[in-house]
């Protein structure tokens, strides 16, 4: 656990407060969040559908990343009162607003992947 009063934590908080790119990366950055968002651009998905669609993600990590995306208001969790319980995830309006950014990041990565490998 990180100390909130540390210089590093304070610098990070100031950067996120003052830099739009730093804030965006703090919200959608990491290995799994962009993949989750990209999958949900197609529409509602159940948990197991998401897990199968994202190769290599563990159950624990998927749950944690979905919760973080929910906290930021990008993903909505829908619980249906059934037995067994049915839960679906979908993007909110804010979540859908990430589509152009995700597409641009994907295009950039695809275009430049080999350049980095050859270096």
């Amino acid at each position: 656990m990180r100390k909130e009063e540390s210089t590093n934590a304070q610098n990070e908080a100031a950067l996120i407060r003052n830099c739009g790119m730093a804030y965006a990366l703090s919200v959608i950055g990491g290995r799994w969040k962009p993949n989750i968002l990209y999958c949900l651009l197609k529409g509602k998905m159940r948990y197991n559908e998401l897990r199968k669609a994202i190769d290599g993600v563990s159950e624990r990590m998927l749950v944690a990343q979905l919760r973080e995306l929910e906290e930021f208001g990008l993903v909505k969790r829908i619980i249906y009162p059934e037995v067994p319980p049915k839960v679906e995830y979908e993007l909110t309006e804010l979540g859908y607003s990430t589509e152009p950014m995700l597409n641009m990041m994907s295009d950039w990565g695809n275009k430049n992947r080999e350049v980095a490998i050859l270096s």
Side-chain angles (χ1 to χ4, degrees), residues 2 6-18 22-23 26:
R2 194 164 72 180
S6 72
T7 303
N8 190 35
Q10 290 174 356
N11 289 341
E12 182 182 19
L15 184 61
I16 289 170
R17 236 184 353 264
N18 298 315
Y23 175 73
S26 74

Side-chain angles (χ1 to χ4, degrees), residues 16 20-38 41 65 68-70 72-75 91 94-106:
I16 289 170
M21 186 177 0
Y23 175 73
L25 288 171
S26 74
V27 173
I28 68 150
R31 183 181 299 168
W32 305 112
K33 288 179 190 173
N35 289 304
I36 293 167
L37 293 168
Y38 208 80
L41 284 171
Q65 299 296 282
E68 285 184 30
L69 289 169
E70 253 188 292
F72 283 112
L74 299 175
V75 171
L91 293 179
L94 184 61
Y96 277 110
S97 74
T98 65
E99 183 174 13
M101 177 175 49
L102 293 171
N103 286 329
M104 288 177 73
M105 289 170 55
S106 179

Side-chain angles (χ1 to χ4, degrees), residues 105-119:
M105 289 170 55
S106 179
D107 292 344
W108 186 91
N110 288 328
K111 179 181 173 187
N112 295 290
R113 179 183 297 126
E114 291 184 24
V115 173
I117 291 171
L118 297 175
S119 298

